[in-house]
Amino acid sequence: MKKLLFLMTLVMPMFLLAQEKKNIKTRKQTVNLSRPVSLKPDIKIRLFKKLKHLPVRIVHDGATNTFYTCNIDGWVFKIRIVKGVAQDEIPFLSPEEHHINYLQGMAFYENTFFLVGNHNNITNSNGYGVVEKCTILPDGSRKWTTMLTTEVYPSSGTLFDHAFSGVCLSADKDSLYVASGSRTDHGEVKNSGEYKGLREMPLTARIFRIPINADKIYLPNDEAKLDASGFVFAKGVRNEFDMALNSEKRLFGIENSGDRDDPEELNWLRQNHHYGFPWRIGGNDTPMQYTPYKANEDKLIPVEALKRNIFFNDPDYPKRPDNVTFTEPIKNIGPHANWLRDTATGKMYQAHEISTFTGHRAPVGLVFDADSTLSKAYRGSGFMLAYAPDGEGGYLPKEDTGGDLCQLKLKYDNTPQNYQVSVIRLVKGFQRLSDAEKVKNDIYITDLLGNIWKVTFSGKGSKIKK
């Protein structure tokens, strides 16, 4: 059994994606859609729109009250809102216009789209990262700019080709943060096609920062040249699938960990910091860096993951970089999403602190109440989704079902110069979540069953400017 269908859908190599999409469509016809349930009396939820496609991302244009969604094939769809009612989705941007055949990231600002993904070559087991900008001109025409491409780099041919995904505008709107995920689960060798003996690449497992007016930046697959380029913002991130700014204009990212029962991460992302991957995952040391290592004695490896033979004694595992201090994930002090597996007994327990979330929750859809429009209990908080399979299990422990919307109450601790977070479940019962967009007092949530859900926070909020 694969870790999570979400990861299969969003990060699998292209030669597996077509079949999996067929499987998803079949499941959509047979699965009984469970209705999400609010856990708070001042939060209401309803189905906002049933779509004909599977949305990976959702953004909102406040000027025209229009939503845009995209799917992994590269299509962007337009959904106008008329008197509070969502109209039919209309294909708006096609993959032929931007040449991204594996689209995972989308941002919108004023009249401009930013699309992030890869152009993959299935035959040759490789591809390159792409960032495209599409400006909608007053007459409705489109001006395309290829902001960034990378050198071709090898795919791993596995579920761990995370590729280019998360994107976020900087606070002053002068640049973009772009996440490039890992090509391995935890730094192991991945052979694919003609590529043998390779682990991570210089272009993988890091975050880039590029100017908003960038035009044809080219990033080589070379460590020294990348460091000299000035575009590398942070290193050591496995799969920073979503990033967002809080009310203090600080950048945060949510990170999916691997097949081992390591916690998933919430990171405060900062210039020139290294977040530990592949040597540290979810606050834990990756055990394969130490030899001898006996995977069959590791209580944190699920039985099904052990069968995949990606955990083993590895004397050639790369050494930690010299003179680098890793930045740890934010500590979760509960009361929710804080389950750990005991390394000695293999039993689950609820921890006082965890770095940051229960393993295999697959956090997605990070948003903040940065404009302070919510009522007092939620004002200024972050909010995060956790993907959940519809009865297929995955590796998520039974003690933590995922499939929820959680509040993130962050508190800065000046001593370690990091944050701690209190995680509170607000809505449960979702399935296959993919993204979220906050609009005033509402959070709109997409899932890979083709739904948009509307979560409304009632109560007295701050005055909203019309």
Side-chain angles (χ1 to χ4, degrees), residues 13 61 87 128 265:
D61 176 6
Q87 308 301 297
Y128 56 89
E265 300 181 14

Side-chain angles (χ1 to χ4, degrees), residues 157-356:
T158 70
L159 301 179
F160 310 119
D161 279 317
H162 294 111
F164 277 60
S165 58
V167 57
C168 180
L169 272 81
S170 64
D172 51 13
K173 305 297 188 295
D174 70 344
S175 56
L176 285 181
Y177 301 101
V178 178
S180 173
S182 71
R183 65 183 296 276
T184 71
D185 182 74
H186 52 272
E188 74 280 10
V189 168
K190 282 283 180 280
N191 299 317
S192 179
E194 298 180 358
Y195 301 100
K196 308 295 182 184
L198 300 178
R199 301 177 190 259
E200 292 302 325
M201 296 283 99
L203 284 167
T204 61
R206 60 193 59 205
I207 294 170
F208 299 101
R209 180 171 179 164
I210 62 174
I212 202 74
N213 59 355
D215 187 3
K216 295 182 176 59
I217 289 175
Y218 178 78
L219 296 182
N221 193 31
D222 181 281
E223 192 77 32
K225 291 180 180 178
L226 284 177
D227 287 343
S229 73
F231 297 125
V232 177
F233 179 75
K235 298 180 180 180
V237 291
R238 181 180 182 273
N239 182 22
E240 221 73 9
F241 192 75
D242 211 357
M243 299 176 288
L245 299 169
N246 72 347
S247 58
E248 296 175 308
K249 300 181 180 179
R250 290 173 172 172
L251 182 67
F252 293 83
I254 42 178
E255 182 167 334
N256 292 268
S257 296
D259 273 17
R260 194 168 179 264
D261 290 340
D262 297 308
E264 318 267 52
E265 300 181 14
L266 172 66
N267 291 309
W268 175 18
L269 300 171
R270 286 163 280 178
Q271 181 88 39
N272 297 326
H273 282 233
H274 195 300
Y275 292 85
F277 181 85
W279 301 275
R280 295 276 288 174
I281 301 179
N284 294 339
D285 279 349
T286 301
M288 272 176 52
Q289 67 189 294
Y290 306 114
T291 189
Y293 168 61
K294 298 180 179 179
N296 60 348
E297 297 180 3
D298 189 339
K299 298 294 185 181
L300 299 191
I301 300 180
V303 174
E304 292 299 322
L306 192 62
K307 294 177 182 178
R308 300 176 67 185
N309 297 318
I310 60 173
F311 297 94
F312 47 86
N313 189 48
D314 189 358
D316 296 323
Y317 196 92
K319 303 300 181 185
R320 294 191 182 204
D322 294 330
N323 303 318
V324 174
T325 300
F326 295 148
T327 300
E328 291 296 298
I330 293 169
K331 295 290 186 181
N332 174 9
I333 59 174
H336 301 132
N338 58 341
W339 287 86
L340 287 174
R341 190 173 300 281
D342 189 283
T343 57
T345 67
K347 295 182 178 180
M348 297 298 297
Y349 68 97
Q350 207 161 12
H352 176 65
E353 287 187 346
I354 173 175
S355 304
T356 310

Side-chain angles (χ1 to χ4, degrees), residues 40 42-45 367 373-375 377-379 381-383 405-407 426-427 438-445 454-461 464:
K40 302 290 182 180
D42 56 348
I43 294 178
K44 307 299 179 185
I45 181 167
V367 295
T373 59
L374 298 183
S375 58
Y378 310 105
R379 190 170 301 156
S381 292
F383 300 89
L405 169 67
C406 290
Q407 179 184 11
L426 303 179
V427 181
K438 179 183 174 293
V439 182
K440 296 183 179 179
N441 279 13
D442 303 312
I443 294 179
Y444 294 84
I445 294 171
K454 181 179 180 180
V455 178
T456 299
F457 293 75
S458 58
K460 185 179 180 180
I464 302 172

